[in-house]
């Protein structure tokens, strides 16, 4: 587990059954319940975030994805005009 100092508190309400299961699992893995819950939650958080960064495609969809990336750009005049327009926070001389 990380050696980062724990300064924040997280309160979680659980049922009696859930607490007993967590205590049994923590004991079986020779960890405190706090460490067990923290490690388990962080592991699941990493899995969830990884699912949003990585995606898999079959060969046909991969080819279509690559073709879309390699396709020539198309003109988007309204987007170009928006990006060329001074922003809200631009100085008065740029507006």
């Amino acid at each position: 587990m990380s050696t980062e100092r724990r300064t924040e508190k997280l309160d979680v309400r659980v049922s009696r059954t859930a607490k007993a299961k967590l205590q049994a699992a923590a004991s079986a893995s020779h960890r405190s319940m706090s460490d067990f819950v923290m490690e388990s939650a962080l592991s699941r958080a990493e899995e969830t975030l990884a699912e949003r960064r990585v995606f898999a495609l079959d060969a046909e969809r991969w080819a279509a994805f690559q073709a879309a990336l390699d396709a020539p750009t198309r003109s988007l005049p309204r987007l170009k005009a928006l990006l060329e327009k001074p922003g809200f926070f631009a100085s008065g001389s740029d507006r």
Side-chain angles (χ1 to χ4, degrees), residues 10-11 14 17 23 27 32 37 40 42 44-45 47 52 62 69 75 79 83 87 92-94:
L10 176 68
D11 293 319
V14 296
T17 304
Q23 285 174 324
S27 178
S32 69
V37 170
S40 299
L42 286 173
R44 184 65 180 118
E47 289 173 15
R52 297 177 183 272
W62 177 250
L69 291 176
S75 177
L79 179 59
L83 294 174
S93 61
D94 293 346

Side-chain angles (χ1 to χ4, degrees), residues 55 57-71:
F55 61 96
L57 301 173
D58 59 30
E60 182 181 335
R61 288 187 174 148
W62 177 250
F65 178 69
Q66 285 186 308
L69 291 176
D70 293 339

Side-chain angles (χ1 to χ4, degrees), residues 5-92:
R5 188 165 176 236
R6 296 180 186 182
T7 59
E8 301 296 317
K9 184 175 180 176
L10 176 68
D11 293 319
V12 179
R13 296 241 181 246
V14 296
S15 68
R16 183 174 291 153
T17 304
K19 184 176 180 182
K21 189 180 288 187
L22 289 169
Q23 285 174 324
S27 178
S29 62
H30 306 288
R31 290 185 171 83
S32 69
M33 189 160 68
S34 180
D35 284 346
F36 179 81
V37 170
M38 182 66 125
E39 289 173 16
S40 299
L42 286 173
S43 176
R44 184 65 180 118
E46 288 171 9
E47 289 173 15
T48 299
L49 294 173
E51 290 170 1
R52 297 177 183 272
R53 288 190 297 259
V54 177
F55 61 96
L57 301 173
D58 59 30
E60 182 181 335
R61 288 187 174 148
W62 177 250
F65 178 69
Q66 285 186 308
L69 291 176
D70 293 339
T73 59
R74 57 189 171 116
S75 177
L76 300 170
R78 290 174 58 204
L79 179 59
K80 183 179 180 191
L82 176 65
L83 294 174
E84 290 174 346
K85 182 178 177 184
F88 179 79
F89 292 105
S91 65

